[in-house]
Amino acid sequence: MVTRSTIMDTNSFRAEDAEALDVDTRKLTDKRSKVLGESYRLFYRKPVHLVRGEGQYLWDAAGDKYLDVYNNVASIGHCHPAVIDAVTQQMKMLNTHTRYLHENILNYSEELLATTPDEIDRAMYMCTGSEANDLAIRVARAFSGGTGIIVTKEAYHGTSELTSGASPALGSGQPLAATTRLVMPPDAYRVDAPDLGEWFATEIQKQIDDMKAHGIKFAGFLADSIFSSDGVLPNPRGFLKKAVDVVHANGGIFIADEVQPGFGRTGDAFWGFGRHGVVPDVITTGKPMGNGIPVSGLLAKSDVLAAFSDEIPYFNTFGGNPVAMAAAQAVLKVIKEEELQEHSRVVGAKLHAELSKLMARFECVGDVRGAGLFIGFELVEDRSSKTPDKTLALNVIEKLREHRVLTSVAGPYGNVLKLRPPLAFQESDIDWLVGALDKSLRELGK
């Protein structure tokens, strides 16, 4: 039996739900299936037909307003005027590839590299996070001379041939590469270890040893520093350091996939890895850096990148094009001028505190954890056993949709609500979200 993909199938529309749809929605789902094929997925048993967005809010075709608590791609908010203006002005002048000189890519690179540790001093650009992680794996292999990549058991890093082979969250229908090894996620809620960092480092060493036993040379460890697909695992701060030390001691590199935790999202640091006091060898970014415009990046230590770049020319036709760079510059400027990292820290802490109060009312709320505006809300059958309750989580997601709150689930058991709104989310939105959760759990008899 093929296991469903945890990131694609856990909360998705199914053919058996079609009979309950209204006529207009049914026409759209039928047409979508016909012209797009069966690989695509939709959220919800009753899909949402969205037509407009602004900040942290979305509106459907009927005019109903929703609170978006899931979309980090629109990182600074849907349809942000600064991004719209920057893209429009640049589109009026020029949009072409990086084999011509242009100031935008240089100016942005200097500004972006200024946010990283001093050791990170080179930038390259693509269009998607998948492409960035694909290139990062190639860089790791060129630098180390090995091929083995370690990721966590529920990781998602992309859809290319290389990255899908290192993305177990895509499900067992997508085979992993023979050179990929998995480690259990550093889940402080479920792992009983006096030192989570030491435990995690040991798990990584075990997989490096397994590679060696099978004639595979270790190349690198690829991780999202908040382990979002593994169920949002941010703490304790600093636990990654020992794991990174093990990676380096074995000749590999650490690739920090910052598509989700980067750009001020965690509040504690501009980059997610900054919470752990480590310096990656390579950083990868994705579409949140451009508020949804197709742009991604790879930032690296020059000596690590040189093993690849000194030997192999790299060209990505529209990676780093002037329009994409204009969007990225606008996002970075807004993050700085509107102090969105601090906003994420402060508002995220208040949201976390209010969500934690639900634990006192509902035995099914097993854990609330997070950093900034990136929070995992874990649902269990009961708190003493910690038995995951995936059915409840999916039913809560559907109830939240009825209360006009949009989010989804994560984690190996599909029981963690992944609360990750645009950074436009305000303190005034907390009551809507927490109130909707409270109502949803009570309506489900909890």
Side-chain angles (χ1 to χ4, degrees), residues 278-299:
V278 299
V279 177
D281 301 287
V282 172
I283 302 167
T284 56
T285 68
K287 288 178 285 297
M289 70 188 284
N291 213 45
I293 292 291
V295 59
S296 63
L298 179 147
L299 312 176

Side-chain angles (χ1 to χ4, degrees), residues 296-373:
S296 63
L298 179 147
L299 312 176
K301 296 176 180 176
S302 54
D303 60 325
V304 172
L305 187 59
F308 175 87
S309 60
D310 287 358
E311 299 295 328
I312 303 173
Y314 181 81
F315 178 56
N316 186 309
T317 305
F318 259 51
N321 68 73
V323 169
M325 292 292 93
Q329 277 186 300
V331 169
L332 194 55
K333 184 179 181 182
V334 167
I335 290 173
K336 291 177 180 178
E337 290 184 351
E338 297 185 9
E339 299 181 337
L340 291 184
Q341 180 184 322
E342 177 65 4
H343 170 82
S344 182
R345 187 187 70 80
V346 172
V347 176
K350 291 177 179 178
L351 174 58
H352 188 284
E354 292 302 313
L355 290 168
S356 296
K357 291 178 183 178
L358 294 179
M359 293 180 69
R361 287 188 289 237
F362 299 101
E363 177 69 17
C364 62
V365 181
D367 194 28
V368 180
R369 53 185 179 260
L373 286 171

Side-chain angles (χ1 to χ4, degrees), residues 181 206-217:
R181 292 293 183 275
K206 287 177 183 177
Q207 295 307 317
I208 295 173
D209 293 343
D210 181 74
M211 286 181 181
K212 191 178 298 184
H214 288 86
I216 299 168
K217 187 175 181 181

Side-chain angles (χ1 to χ4, degrees), residues 55-56 68-78 80 260-267 269-270 288 291 331 334-336 338-345 347-348 371-374 420-427 429:
Q56 64 276 41
D68 185 353
V69 192
Y70 185 68
N71 198 336
N72 72 311
V73 173
S75 56
I76 59 173
H78 295 280
H80 197 290
Q260 297 190 61
F263 292 87
R265 164 65 56 180
T266 68
F270 187 87
N291 213 45
V331 169
V334 167
I335 290 173
K336 291 177 180 178
E338 297 185 9
E339 299 181 337
L340 291 184
Q341 180 184 322
E342 177 65 4
H343 170 82
S344 182
R345 187 187 70 80
V347 176
L373 286 171
F374 207 145
R420 182 195 52 180
L423 298 181
F425 184 93
Q426 300 295 320
E427 185 176 348
D429 296 311

